[in-house]
Amino acid sequence: MSTLSQKLSAWLSLSRPPFHSVGVLPFVLGGVLAWQREGIFHWNICAWGTLGVVFVMLSTYYAGEYWDYVEDSLGYSLSASAHREPSRFAGGSRVLQRGLLPRHAALWGSLVGLLLAIGVALVLRLGYRTGPWTIPFAVVGLLGGFFYSTRPIRWVSTGLGELWIAFCYGWLPVAVGYYLQVGEVIPLIHWLAIPIGLTIFNVILLNEFPDYPADRAAGKANLTVRLGRERASLLYGLASLGSWIATWVSIGQGVPSRIGWFYAPILVLSLTLVVLVVRGHWRNPTVLERLCAATLAVNLGTTAAYILAFVR
């Protein structure tokens, strides 16, 4: 493989494209909601908005790779010493730890992503005349994403990082997807965002389990480190319960009742995961890897259920 191909492959791994779905899908939901409720949908605005969401996530992921370098390196070393593969859902991409790219590349990449996200917001506001909240929404997304790991704010070590993620991958993309098309945010969006936000909260919370020893040793005071994995398991169950209730309540707020058909298998999966997590099956690294993957599926499935419910 040529040097150029190696670098491109390394940047692709660093970008973690499969994890962009958790931001893009809720944004699409907002656009679908605008189309079905108001009969308004502009493909060019949707395309630019999706690009902006991707740039925000790239800035977030690259910043995490740079600022979490110490704990990710420690986690990588612990996995190697235990003769097991690192988790696919925690500890970053390991591109920097394997020396495939210099550490400063992630920092510069995050800054470029930040500037490109702001550039897209300016194109939408000035070029397509989207509403006055276009740029403030972009700034809020960057504030929550870029500073999730970036010092001196570093939300991940304040105990508020997981809540920021719930907001930035829950309410914000749904609201922005709708707002860019229609120019307002309606109350129904809040009800859609609650179960999506709670399920992505659980994704982040459980993804912290494999990194717990390294994060604790490095002083990364995220929610799982603060609570311990036993109590964090109970919080996982409570967040899941909240998502089930919120999905049910949203039907009375304007969500078509047919969502039940699409959400039923997601509910069964989520119930199963709560039982397994609360009973401590996460102690087995192989099982924990599967629990993380299934929790991500619950988040994506919840968003997809809403999209399918609104598409006639």
Side-chain angles (χ1 to χ4, degrees):
M1 184 183 293
S2 68
T3 301
L4 177 59
S5 297
Q6 289 174 335
K7 286 189 178 297
L8 290 175
S9 178
W11 274 108
L12 185 63
S13 298
L14 195 73
S15 302
R16 310 187 78 181
F19 294 99
H20 291 193
S21 56
V22 296
V24 170
L25 208 59
F27 180 82
V28 170
L29 171 59
V32 168
L33 187 62
W35 170 43
Q36 290 298 323
R37 285 183 60 90
E38 306 296 336
I40 299 173
F41 187 82
H42 303 286
W43 281 103
N44 47 3
I45 290 177
C46 180
W48 276 105
T50 301
L51 187 62
V53 170
V54 170
F55 284 146
V56 171
M57 288 188 290
L58 285 174
S59 180
T60 300
Y61 297 158
Y62 293 159
E65 295 280 349
Y66 179 83
W67 292 101
D68 290 343
Y69 181 81
V70 173
E71 46 267 53
D72 288 349
S73 297
L74 183 56
Y76 186 70
S77 298
L78 291 173
S79 297
S81 63
H83 303 289
R84 64 169 183 265
E85 288 294 319
S87 172
R88 292 173 296 158
F89 301 94
S93 66
R94 283 99 189 178
V95 167
L96 305 184
Q97 283 70 28
R98 289 182 289 165
L100 301 178
L101 288 173
R103 184 185 174 190
H104 65 79
L107 176 61
W108 285 108
S110 70
L111 294 174
V112 170
L114 184 150
L115 292 175
L116 289 173
I118 294 175
V120 168
L122 289 171
V123 168
L124 286 167
R125 178 70 183 104
L126 302 177
Y128 291 93
R129 303 294 180 183
T130 53
W133 281 96
T134 300
I135 294 175
F137 278 151
V139 171
V140 170
L142 288 166
L143 181 66
F146 178 75
F147 286 105
Y148 179 74
S149 298
T150 300
R151 292 180 172 87
I153 295 177
R154 196 162 167 78
W155 297 114
V156 69
S157 291
T158 65
L160 300 174
E162 295 81 0
L163 294 177
W164 261 111
I165 293 297
F167 173 78
C168 290
Y169 286 82
W171 185 87
L172 191 61
V174 180
V176 172
Y178 186 89
Y179 179 82
L180 291 178
Q181 300 289 341
V182 180
E184 63 175 343
V185 176
I186 58 176
L188 176 58
I189 288 170
H190 311 325
W191 292 103
L192 301 180
I194 293 173
I196 296 172
L198 288 172
T199 53
I200 194 64
F201 174 89
N202 269 352
V203 168
I204 299 302
L205 188 69
L206 198 62
N207 284 357
E208 292 170 350
F209 277 44
D211 282 344
Y212 177 79
D215 288 346
R216 187 177 180 184
K220 184 179 179 180
N222 57 39
L223 202 53
T224 298
V225 169
R226 289 168 181 267
L227 294 175
R229 284 182 285 192
E230 293 287 350
R231 284 187 290 180
S233 299
L234 298 178
L235 180 58
Y236 178 98
L238 288 174
S240 296
L241 176 61
S243 70
W244 307 335
I245 295 172
T247 303
W248 176 260
V249 172
S250 71
I251 296 175
Q253 303 299 319
V255 175
S257 59
R258 59 177 170 271
I259 190 178
W261 294 103
F262 305 116
Y263 185 68
I266 305 302
L267 176 60
V268 172
L269 176 59
S270 185
L271 280 165
T272 304
L273 290 173
V274 167
V275 172
L276 293 173
V277 170
V278 172
R279 289 186 175 179
H281 288 267
W282 46 264
R283 292 184 179 87
N284 183 318
T286 302
V287 174
L288 177 56
E289 184 88 353
R290 295 169 182 168
L291 292 174
C292 289
T295 300
L296 178 61
V298 168
N299 169 254
L300 296 175
T302 299
T303 307
Y306 277 117
I307 292 174
L308 293 172
F310 280 107
V311 174
R312 296 191 182 96

